[in-house]
Amino acid sequence: MKTDLDHATVQEAYAGWAPIYDIVFGAVFEPGRKAALQAAEKIGGRILDFGVGTGFALPAYKRSNRIVGVDISEPMLRKAHEKVAKENLTHVEGLCLMDGAHMGFADNSFDVVMAQFVITVVPHPEETLDEMARVLKPGGEIILVNHLGAEDGPRAAFERWFARRARKLGWRPEFQFARLHNWAVRNGTVDLPVKRDVALGMYTMVRFRKRTEAEMASAHESVALVG
């Protein structure tokens, strides 16, 4: 079974979703989105809204923050540009068409990287998370909110069965928390993820804090001593 999405599938799927995305998913995602925004704004500063889509969340950010949005779907971004202009969202620095696995930002560019309902649908999740960690400042956080697949039981079995059919919609329903945990271990620049259920357990918020240079040096010294 095909286990990952490709760019063509994602772009085709979200070109189709763009005209109706806010209507279909606006209210459904709102509780999870609200929880993620609250977490991000406790840090504040320059925030990368990864997978900004139609820009549905942009008006909700405090104007004291500076927001940069990126997305792989040009039709979705057109909707976001329209929203920024219509609502005079002056705190939005820019909206960029980018492949998340190859972002054109300098290292350590953002205080927060926010990804709402997106990490499970990008073509290359681990490479995308590597890029998120690269552009994040030390001490900053990656904040994800998503439906995550069940680890076992009937729901896990259903999600595995549904996975092939879900690809045409641009979804990966069987994506589990373990994949995020394993990425953090391999990447080595972030602490292990902290997760909590939000929206009555409908969604999971996952947070990774990027280690400072001093913390990284201390970790390397510890490894050397053990070795």
Side-chain angles (χ1 to χ4, degrees):
M1 183 183 72
K2 183 180 179 181
T3 57
D4 269 320
L5 296 163
D6 57 60
H7 287 89
T9 299
V10 172
Q11 289 173 328
E12 181 180 356
Y14 283 88
W17 283 119
I20 59 173
Y21 189 88
D22 289 1
I23 296 170
V24 174
F25 296 112
V28 173
F29 287 164
E30 184 59 23
R33 182 180 290 113
K34 184 177 180 180
L37 282 168
Q38 288 174 344
E41 291 196 326
K42 286 182 180 179
I43 303 169
R46 192 169 188 236
I47 299 174
L48 176 63
D49 192 321
F50 182 89
V52 67
T54 63
F56 189 88
L58 293 177
Y61 286 101
K62 292 178 181 177
R63 297 305 188 267
S64 56
N65 297 310
R66 293 171 295 143
I67 313 301
V68 177
V70 301
D71 206 281
I72 198 173
S73 170
E74 188 172 4
M76 297 283 271
L77 273 180
R78 282 200 297 268
K79 293 287 185 181
H81 278 288
E82 291 169 5
K83 189 175 274 89
V84 168
K86 181 179 180 180
E87 301 190 29
N88 192 31
L89 303 180
T90 56
H91 61 309
V92 177
E93 278 190 19
L95 298 170
C96 309
L97 184 68
M98 285 186 184
D99 175 0
H102 303 92
M103 290 191 283
F105 302 117
D107 295 354
N108 309 326
S109 292
F110 298 96
D111 299 287
V112 182
V113 176
M114 166 84 85
Q116 305 169 60
F117 307 102
V118 67
I119 197 60
T120 63
V121 303
V122 295
H124 305 292
E126 284 78 12
E127 290 89 338
T128 298
L129 286 163
D130 284 339
E131 277 291 271
M132 290 181 181
R134 180 185 68 78
V135 304
L136 181 66
K137 295 178 182 178
E141 288 193 18
I142 299 170
I143 300 174
L144 314 178
V145 63
N146 241 103
H147 163 81
L148 293 179
E151 300 292 330
D152 51 35
R155 183 161 72 88
F158 171 78
E159 287 165 346
R160 289 192 296 270
W161 171 83
F162 185 55
R164 185 189 299 275
R165 295 153 183 83
R167 292 299 183 263
K168 292 182 179 180
L169 300 173
W171 298 342
R172 192 189 280 112
E174 78 286 8
F175 192 108
Q176 298 175 346
F177 174 75
R179 191 163 176 179
L180 300 174
H181 180 277
N182 293 340
W183 166 77
V185 172
R186 290 195 300 271
N187 178 268
T189 69
V190 298
D191 293 337
L192 293 179
V194 176
K195 68 173 180 175
R196 73 177 176 90
D197 289 339
V198 294
L200 301 177
M202 291 173 58
Y203 309 119
T204 301
M205 182 162 64
V206 182
R207 301 173 68 166
F208 306 85
R209 178 183 171 275
K210 186 173 180 178
R211 296 168 181 166
T212 64
E213 290 185 8
E215 290 168 336
M216 292 286 292
S218 178
H220 289 152
E221 288 175 5
S222 297
V223 170
L225 289 172
V226 171

